[in-house]
Amino acid sequence: MTVTGGHGLVGRRVVAMLRDHSPAEIFSFSSKQYDLTRQADVARMFADQRPDIVIHLAARVGGIGANRDNPGRFFYENAIMGIELMEQARRNGVEKYVQVGTVCAYPKFARVPFSEAELWDGYPEETNAPYGIAKKALLVQAQAYRAQYGFNAIYLLPTNIYGPGDNFDPSSSHVIPALIRKCVEAGEQGEPTITVWGTGTPTREFLYVDDAANAIILATERYDKPGPVNVGSSEEISIKDLVDRIVTLTGYRGRVLWDATKPDGQPRRKLNAERARREFGFTAQVDFTQGLRRTIEWYLSDGVHLASTAA
Ligand code: NAP
C-alpha cells in the first residue's frame, strides 16, 4: 500500500494507524524522493512500490493567505498530482484508490449543513476556489474512471483538520495553528493586543487529525461507491468563538483586534456527516476543546515553538 503525503499532518497519522493494525507493507515518502507533479517520478514511484492500494493525501495546502497569494500554484500542483497519479494507478492495476478532497470544493453559499448532493450547486468561495476546484476535478476523474474502466476510486471531502503535527509557519498555516502561535508569541512578548484577520463572524467546522485518519482508513476498508463522502465533526463554531477559546487555552491576557480589511473566506461551514456514518461507520470522537489542548501542548512541548522562534 502507498500513502502519498505520508509525512504531512494527516498522512503521518494515517501511516502510523495503518502500521498499528495492518501487517501489509506501507510506503510513504517525501516530495524530494518522488515529486508527484512530475510524470516520470510518478512512474518511478509505481515501479518501485507496486502498490495494490493508494491513499492520495499529497497536496499543496494552506490558509486563506497562502491560497490568495498562490492561486496558480495551488490549482496546478493539486490538479496535476491527482490526475497523473490516478491515471498511472489505473494503468498499474491498483485495486483501490482513495482520493482525499476538501470542504473548499463546496459552493460559497452552500446550504448548511453541506450535503454531498449539493456539491455542484454553485462556485466556491473565491480565495480557495482554485484549490477547491482542482480537487473537485479529481472527483469527476474518479467517477469517469469507475464508469469507463471499472476502477475502484473513492472520494472523501474532509472539513478543516487540525492537531499535533500541524504546520505553524505563518506564511502557510491554517487558522488554528496561526492563532495558537499568535497568542503564544504575543503572551511571551507582553503585547497588549493581537490582530486577527476578518470580522470573526464566519463559521468553521474542525476535525481532529486522529478522527480524520480514522475516517480515511475506515473508508479505505469499507467504502466502494462513486459518491463523494463528507468527513467532519458536524460542530459549527464562529471564528470569534474559536479565537476566544484559543485565547483562554493559551492564557493570553491581551485584547483581540479584528482587521476587517482582510478576507473572511467562506461565510459558513458545517458538513452533513450522515453518509460517512451510514456507509462506513465513521463518527468523530475527539472533543474540540480537548483536541485544541493537545495541539497547544504539542506546539509548546515538541520544540516546534522554540525552533520557530529561533529561526
Ligand atoms: P500537509 O500537512 O501539507 O501535507 C501534504 C503532504 O503532501 C506533505 O507531506 C508533502 O510532502 C506532500 N506533497 C506536497 N507536494 C508534493 C509533491 N509535489 N510530491 C510529493 N508529495 C508532495 O497536508 P495535510 O493537511 O496533511 O493534508 C492532507 C490531505 O488532506 C490533502 O489532500 C488536503 O487537501 C486534505 N485536506 C486537508 C485539510 C486540512 O485542514 N489540513 C482539510 C481538508 C482536506 P513534503 O513535505 O515532503 O513536500
Side-chain angles (χ1 to χ4, degrees):
M1 178 187 301
T2 289
V3 179
T4 73
H7 297 178
L9 168 65
V10 182
R12 263 196 304 268
R13 288 306 296 145
V14 167
V15 169
M17 286 163 77
L18 282 169
R19 287 201 170 122
D20 277 350
H21 60 78
S22 157
E25 190 165 21
I26 296 153
F27 292 100
S28 68
F29 52 85
S30 72
S31 57
K32 289 199 177 65
Q33 291 166 279
Y34 303 95
D35 178 351
L36 298 177
T37 62
R38 298 163 65 101
Q39 204 172 26
D41 282 23
V42 177
R44 187 164 55 83
M45 189 276 286
F46 277 109
D48 292 348
Q49 300 178 7
R50 306 207 160 281
D52 51 352
I53 299 172
V54 172
I55 301 180
H56 180 37
L57 293 166
R60 178 66 53 198
V61 309
I64 295 181
N67 273 276
R68 193 190 54 177
D69 296 345
N70 302 279
R73 185 175 187 196
F74 275 46
F75 182 85
Y76 175 76
E77 292 189 17
N78 288 303
I80 206 74
M81 268 195 261
I83 289 172
E84 195 53 39
L85 195 77
M86 202 184 304
E87 169 64 6
Q88 294 206 35
R90 172 185 80 78
R91 287 171 185 265
N92 279 281
V94 164
E95 288 162 23
K96 176 96 182 243
Y97 187 92
V98 181
Q99 173 65 54
V100 175
T102 167
V103 66
C104 299
Y106 269 100
K108 179 173 182 176
F109 299 109
R111 273 200 307 172
V112 176
F114 299 179
S115 150
E116 293 93 342
E118 296 176 5
L119 181 62
W120 294 96
D121 291 357
Y123 195 76
E125 194 279 327
E126 295 74 16
T127 45
N128 61 220
Y131 166 67
I133 290 174
K135 294 220 124 192
K136 208 166 168 174
L138 304 174
L139 168 61
V140 178
Q141 186 183 14
Q143 291 172 335
Y145 280 28
R146 182 181 291 276
Q148 183 169 356
Y149 310 116
F151 184 61
N152 188 10
I154 64 164
Y155 193 93
L156 304 176
L157 287 160
T159 192
N160 294 44
I161 300 165
Y162 74 102
D166 213 334
N167 167 20
F168 283 80
D169 176 346
S171 68
S172 53
S173 55
H174 286 109
V175 60
I176 287 180
L179 288 171
I180 292 173
R181 181 167 175 166
K182 203 176 269 253
C183 288
V184 168
E185 290 185 355
E188 285 172 348
Q189 289 154 20
E191 287 173 14
T193 60
I194 57 166
T195 303
V196 180
W197 277 26
T199 60
T201 56
T203 65
R204 290 291 178 270
E205 172 188 337
F206 296 99
L207 186 66
Y208 190 67
V209 63
D210 289 24
D211 279 331
N214 187 31
I216 291 164
I217 292 169
L218 284 172
T220 306
E221 287 169 350
R222 301 182 186 172
Y223 186 66
D224 291 311
K225 294 184 186 168
V229 188
N230 289 337
V231 171
S233 62
S234 292
E235 257 189 70
E236 188 179 14
I237 179 169
S238 73
I239 295 295
K240 162 112 190 23
D241 288 348
L242 174 69
V243 170
D244 288 347
R245 228 180 271 202
I246 291 177
V247 163
T248 305
L249 290 171
T250 54
Y252 177 60
R253 292 175 186 281
R255 273 195 322 127
V256 177
L257 306 177
W258 296 91
D259 180 357
T261 65
K262 295 288 196 302
D264 265 337
Q266 192 155 14
R268 281 184 76 184
R269 274 188 189 164
K270 175 183 162 140
L271 296 179
N272 177 336
E274 178 51 26
R275 191 180 281 181
R277 192 194 59 72
R278 195 179 60 241
E279 294 287 346
F280 47 87
F282 171 72
T283 47
Q285 301 295 322
V286 178
D287 167 75
F288 187 47
T289 301
Q290 184 60 24
L292 282 179
R293 260 200 203 101
R294 288 187 207 160
T295 310
I296 294 167
E297 277 164 19
W298 179 83
Y299 176 60
L300 292 174
S301 68
D302 243 23
V304 189
H305 169 49
L306 290 177
S308 64
T309 47

